[in-house]
Amino acid sequence: MSSRGGTEAFVSLWSSIFLLILCVGGTVIMRKFQSSLAVGFFMGSVVAASQMFLLIFLILFGYIEDRLENNLPVDGERLNGFVCLVQAFLLGSFAAILAAHRSEILDQKISDDDDVTYEAPARRT
């Protein structure tokens, strides 16, 4: 397993590109295209990203076992695995929050007028 440098590089690059696309796409969807289809697609993308980071976490901890058998250091895998687990948790939490408030998001339309101020929705009792 010591020759997996290219694989780790690809996974790191792909996950960072995917997060960048998710951030830009989410910003565009939440600012301009607030339709039910667009918000649903964004929510599904966030869930998919959460699952991807959870799988990367599990793969990295599988690498730890292999490296321990070969008496190799595992500090990098532990750090990367922990970061992936935190990222999976954060994305999953965001997807749950987005799902809980999707009707409020769809009801709210952001105007491009400079003189219009944002008012928070009234709290339900």
Side-chain angles (χ1 to χ4, degrees), residues 34-116:
Q34 290 181 350
S35 68
S36 60
L37 180 67
V39 172
F41 181 78
F42 177 56
M43 192 170 28
S45 298
V46 172
V47 170
S50 174
Q51 294 299 311
M52 179 183 73
F53 278 101
L54 182 64
L55 288 175
I56 293 172
F57 161 75
L58 294 173
I59 289 169
L60 285 171
F61 272 79
Y63 284 161
I64 287 175
E65 292 178 15
D66 291 339
R67 291 181 66 89
L68 285 174
E69 288 177 4
N70 294 327
N71 296 325
L72 296 171
V74 293
D75 295 333
E77 279 80 7
R78 283 187 181 147
L79 178 64
N80 288 336
F82 177 73
V83 169
C84 287
L85 182 64
V86 169
Q87 187 71 28
F89 176 74
L90 290 175
L91 285 168
S93 300
F94 178 65
I97 292 169
L98 188 62
H101 297 286
R102 71 180 173 270
S103 62
E104 294 173 17
I105 292 169
L106 292 173
D107 291 341
Q108 172 192 357
K109 295 293 181 187
I110 298 175
S111 176
D112 291 334
D113 299 334
D114 293 332
D115 58 342
V116 177

